[in-house]
Amino acid sequence: MANRNLLIKYTKLFINNQFVDSASGKTFPTLNPANEKKIADIAEADKTDVDHAVAAARAAFKIGSEWRKLDASARGKLINKLASLIERDTEYIANLETLDNGKPYGDSVFDIACAIDTFHYYAGWCDKIHGSTVPADGELFSMTLREPVGVVGQIIPWNYPILMLAWKWGPALATGCTIVLKPAEQTPLTALYVAALSKEAGFPTGVINVLTGYGPTAGAAISSHPDINKVAFTGSTEVGRLILAAAAKSNLKRVSLELGGKSPLVICSDADVDEAVQIAHGAVFNNHGQNCCAGSRTFVHEDVYEEFVKKAVVEATNRKVGDPFADGIQQGPQVDDKLFNKVLSLIEAGKVEGAKLECGGDRWGKEGYFIQPTVFSNVTDNMRIAKEEIFGPVQSIIKFKTLEEAIERANDTSYGLAAGIVTKDINTALIFAQSVHAGSVWVNCYDAVTPQAPFGGYKQSGFGRELGEDSLKEYLEVKTVTIKMPYKI
Amino acid sequence: MALPEIKYTKLFINNEFVDSVSGKTFPTVNPATGKKIVDIAEGDKADVDKAVAAAKAAFKIGSPWRKLDASARGVLLNKLADLMERDAKTLAILETLDTGKPLTGAKFEMLFCAKTLRYYAGWCDKVHGQTIPADGAVFSFTRLEPVGVVGQIIPWNGPAVMAIWKLASAIATGCTVVLKPAEQTPLTALYIAALVKEAGVPEGVVNVIPGYGPTAGAAITAHPDVTKVAFTGSVEVGRIIMADAAKSNLKKVSLELGGKSPLVIFKDADVDQAVELAHQAVFINQGQVCCAGSRTFVHEDIYDEFVKKSIERAQRRKVGDPFTESTEQGPQIDDEMFNKVLKFIESGKAEGAKLECGGERLGDTGYFIKPAVFTNVTDNMTIAKEEIFGPVQCVLKFKTLEEAIERANKTSYGLAAGIVTKDLNTALVFAQSVQAGTVWVNCYNIITPQTPFGGYKESGIGREMGEDSLKEYLQIKTVTVQLPYKL
């Protein structure tokens, strides 16, 4: 049941299974983007707190610690327990998420269900992480061990706070690593709550640590820490570069990045237009457009272009914007004033550069960071709205003629996170899927992300994969052990 | 012995040997004599741009390379292996001329190259994605696609082997390559390039640009069209490469860097066997091995006997002309390394280790150093902490296994480790506790094409050899197709 009147239980740093003030005593406010008012003051972590958290995580990782002595299957039990506690508290957490992020309550409930599924998925992997015995040349017995990489720093964004946490904690815990997580400063609340649940679930002290704070301070301290073995980051390409550079300068820690995108969705001439309009609408407007893999370039075949645009405008005009706690609302506010202004300025660029503004294009209401669902048509590839990631409720519709052209234009970007195509033709679908430079390709659907299938970027959308079996290797280190034998066996 | 004609001295782009755009050349020197062997075309940014353009064209969907069956790539790799075996003698001579490593060792390395190529030839058509039982009425699968144009920057300590380690995985997965050999040792890489063409590899798939790190190397690591860079060399340069990747196009990076690998001789070891094992572990290839067993931890119970026999063995090590069959040790690679090693030896003396034998220059031409053995080495000494990359053995005393493990792990490196023991528990506890990418038990430096090799911690990121190397050259694409109903 949606309810904005919540008691905020956890506002401090979580280190060694304790909630503690920051070393400096400083705090920072977290705001409700629906009314721009402060929700609560949160402890603000900086380098000293990162040092404490890393020390705790390192101690928890030491051979002989409680965490290291657990059977792999026991890790699975703990992860399942955490998932069930999140499920128990779904209502509270969904309200907390909607308060902090502004997404409709129903979306928060859905995100939490996905997070639970993600944890269950990883719980099942724990005791199935296999090395190999290897038929090496020589009188040897050779094998590989896959060991947890160690203490991992995880820096997550504000667009799906609890879901991003699950994507990060899942593989880290499944492989036996220990964690220092920094949630986004805009959205610290659900991370702290889930930290408390992790203690309740029975995770040993130091395995999970959560530091709330800012990127240039706490985040930078994590990416340059000499005792963190790996950093995983989801966020902007700009910050992704900083993190890789910090890893290079410090201790060559392993890095995985999930960055931005400008993902193409191609609507072919044989598409059912009504279905295509639905898919395309969800692809770009879900989560207020604040989705790294948003289908933000809608390529529509010239044969169905007029009908598509007409219906897409109707869809956007009918999108219900408003109080995220109210029933039936599909779109709440953007997350903060910085993003709000960025989206509006890109909308202006669209108008100035000659795209046709079909609907929306302005602020919605007078309070809170709400933006009207906006549709541009007659968009061309060189316009800023066709090239730069907007991260807002702005659909850009672009006309195309042939599949080869669509593929070439789809690939003409430094990004490569996702792509989609709507068609019934087998050749069209498979040629597109194999030609487009993207980590995820959706055919007759979009944003179909499940825990079982890997997700991540080509090119400057990042490297490494989350979800699926492939995510585990980001948290493992391969050790070859070769033992001399007295003779060949 | 008659030296072969140096056939290939130019850049190799699009299956042609060409001058550098600038027309510049640089000399490659014989470290046994200090004299120039020949002038080599010097690649810089403009040449890298050409090579990358060639590699990019060769990678385009529809190109001859992309249209080949995966199994056909395997046929090409096997053919290249045949050619390397056919020309093993010539290649070995070139390698010894350029690196100073004993000819017997160089011959072995060429055969190892052929084995590596054959190993990867077998992988080409076995790179599998998966079908996935995803939630929903969907059909989901992954494809493992070649990552694209890869830059490969290799060192001088095993030029042909390093080139083949890099080329084999890249070719097996269907990538295209711009390779920069070390400026000290360009000869075998260029000869291999000619064999690549002879084997029938399409143009643009393999390009070789000799030149220097700060120019050609930097142009590769910063290039916007190179999707991945693989580097073997020093930690210092590894950092620069990762930073360049961050600054340019976030290209993927794999690194094989230095090491200060511990070899632990336990009290139940056969001392004679252990002495020989430890001797080879640190002295092979003139000590110029990233995974050299450069910290020899010896149990106090056998310490005195071990030291005595190690000194005798080091004094017996035959240093001299690498073309002589009985030679075990040739010169260091160049004057820079030569001086660096001598400086480390000085620091060992100054910091209180006992220099038991060797440690000075041998002769007055070429960069030869007499095998040195230090005893009474303690963990805080420079020679115990920093990578020397020369013929210097450091022997340290220990008491218990736990202590040995802790001291073994007390380094920012993590490339390899070894233990000599007959006890099952000792061997397995050590193997699982030490932070190293490769652990050897009762052997050392055993690297085979089948077993992954690479570093923990600052010894690097990623693995070479084995199945695990393939993923460094692959990209995962998930394809999810909506179905009309759950199937």
Side-chain angles (χ1 to χ4, degrees), chain A residues 155-157 233-240 257-261 292 389 461:
Chain A
I155 301 172
I156 57 175
F233 169 75
T234 298
S236 69
T237 297
E238 182 198 342
V239 176
L257 302 173
E258 290 271 357
L259 307 176
C292 50
E389 189 179 40
S461 284

Side-chain angles (χ1 to χ4, degrees), chain A residues 63 117 134-137 140 142 144-147 229 237 240-241 244-245 247-255 257 259 430 432-445 448 450-455 457-460 462-463 465 469-470 473 477-484, chain B residues 61 115 130 132-135 138 140-143 145 227 235 238-239 242-243 245-252 255 257 428 430-443 446 448-453 455-458 460-461 463 467-468 471 475-482:
Chain A
I63 286 185
D117 285 348
V134 176
D137 292 342
L140 309 166
S142 261
T144 55
L145 301 176
R146 284 175 206 285
E147 305 189 338
N229 303 97
T237 297
R241 291 185 194 289
L244 186 59
K249 206 162 162 202
S250 57
N251 66 337
L252 292 168
K253 53 175 65 60
R254 288 96 179 89
V255 178
L257 302 173
L259 307 176
L430 293 180
F432 181 80
Q434 300 190 86
S435 305
V436 74
H437 301 151
S440 290
V441 183
W442 290 300
V443 180
N444 295 329
C445 55
T450 74
Q452 303 85 10
F455 180 89
Y458 274 42
K459 304 194 288 189
Q460 292 186 48
F463 44 78
R465 290 295 177 268
E469 180 179 8
D470 293 290
K473 64 171 162 358
E477 197 75 43
V478 174
K479 175 187 279 181
T480 298
V481 180
T482 296
I483 304 176
K484 185 92 178 85
Chain B
I61 285 187
K115 276 192 158 157
Q130 300 182 307
I132 293 170
D135 290 343
V138 293
S140 261
F141 60 93
T142 54
R143 272 175 51 96
E145 304 188 340
T227 31
V235 170
R239 290 185 195 292
M242 205 173 182
K247 214 165 151 196
S248 58
N249 66 340
L250 290 167
K251 52 176 65 64
K252 296 130 191 36
L255 303 172
L257 308 175
L428 294 180
F430 181 80
Q432 300 191 84
S433 306
V434 73
Q435 294 155 6
T438 298
V439 182
W440 288 298
V441 180
N442 296 328
C443 55
I446 306 285
T448 74
Q450 302 87 10
T451 51
F453 179 87
Y456 274 44
K457 305 194 287 190
E458 290 183 33
I461 298 172
R463 291 295 177 269
E467 180 179 5
D468 292 287
K471 64 172 161 359
Q475 243 179 156
I476 298 166
K477 174 185 280 180
T478 298
V479 182
T480 297
V481 183
Q482 182 69 55

Side-chain angles (χ1 to χ4, degrees), chain A residues 241-441:
Chain A
R241 291 185 194 289
L242 295 176
I243 291 186
L244 186 59
K249 206 162 162 202
S250 57
N251 66 337
L252 292 168
K253 53 175 65 60
R254 288 96 179 89
V255 178
S256 55
L257 302 173
E258 290 271 357
L259 307 176
K262 193 68 184 178
S263 302
L265 170 58
V266 177
I267 313 295
C268 295
S269 57
D270 67 343
D272 173 322
V273 177
D274 292 312
E275 218 180 280
V277 164
Q278 288 293 318
I279 291 173
H281 180 82
V284 72
F285 287 105
N286 276 347
N287 211 40
H288 323 166
Q290 297 166 154
N291 180 2
C292 50
C293 56
S296 48
R297 287 184 291 154
T298 313
F299 288 91
V300 181
H301 192 278
E302 55 180 14
D303 289 358
V304 296
Y305 183 83
E306 298 297 335
E307 188 191 351
F308 182 95
V309 170
K310 193 157 146 284
K311 291 176 166 175
V313 172
V314 168
E315 202 65 30
T317 312
N318 289 339
R319 190 168 184 79
K320 288 188 189 48
V321 185
D323 172 12
F325 285 96
D327 268 338
I329 294 299
Q330 296 168 288
Q331 180 178 316
Q334 307 309 117
V335 81
D336 62 14
D337 59 342
K338 195 166 149 209
L339 183 65
F340 174 76
N341 288 322
K342 185 182 164 192
V343 175
L344 288 178
S345 89
L346 278 163
I347 289 174
E348 279 316 301
K351 296 180 199 168
V352 160
E353 287 178 349
K356 183 170 179 222
L357 180 67
E358 299 274 357
C359 68
D362 229 320
R363 182 181 202 175
W364 183 96
K366 292 201 178 34
E367 187 192 59
Y369 310 119
F370 297 85
I371 296 180
Q372 298 166 353
T374 300
V375 178
F376 280 105
S377 63
N378 291 354
V379 177
T380 54
D381 294 354
N382 56 313
M383 293 179 185
R384 285 185 65 200
I385 55 171
K387 296 201 303 194
E388 294 176 38
E389 189 179 40
I390 302 175
F391 233 62
V394 181
Q395 182 170 44
S396 300
I397 305 179
I398 307 166
K399 191 186 289 189
F400 80 94
K401 213 176 180 120
T402 69
L403 179 65
E404 292 64 39
E405 173 209 338
I407 290 169
E408 202 187 313
R409 292 166 71 188
N411 283 340
D412 196 8
T413 165
S414 61
Y415 288 117
L417 191 51
I421 188 161
V422 181
T423 180
K424 294 183 183 67
D425 184 72
I426 190 168
N427 289 333
T428 303
L430 293 180
I431 288 171
F432 181 80
Q434 300 190 86
S435 305
V436 74
H437 301 151
S440 290
V441 183

Side-chain angles (χ1 to χ4, degrees), chain A residues 125-132 144-146 469 472 476, chain B residues 468:
Chain A
W125 266 122
C126 296
D127 55 357
K128 301 172 187 68
I129 294 173
H130 302 144
S132 310
T144 55
L145 301 176
R146 284 175 206 285
E469 180 179 8
L472 299 172
L476 295 166
Chain B
D468 292 287

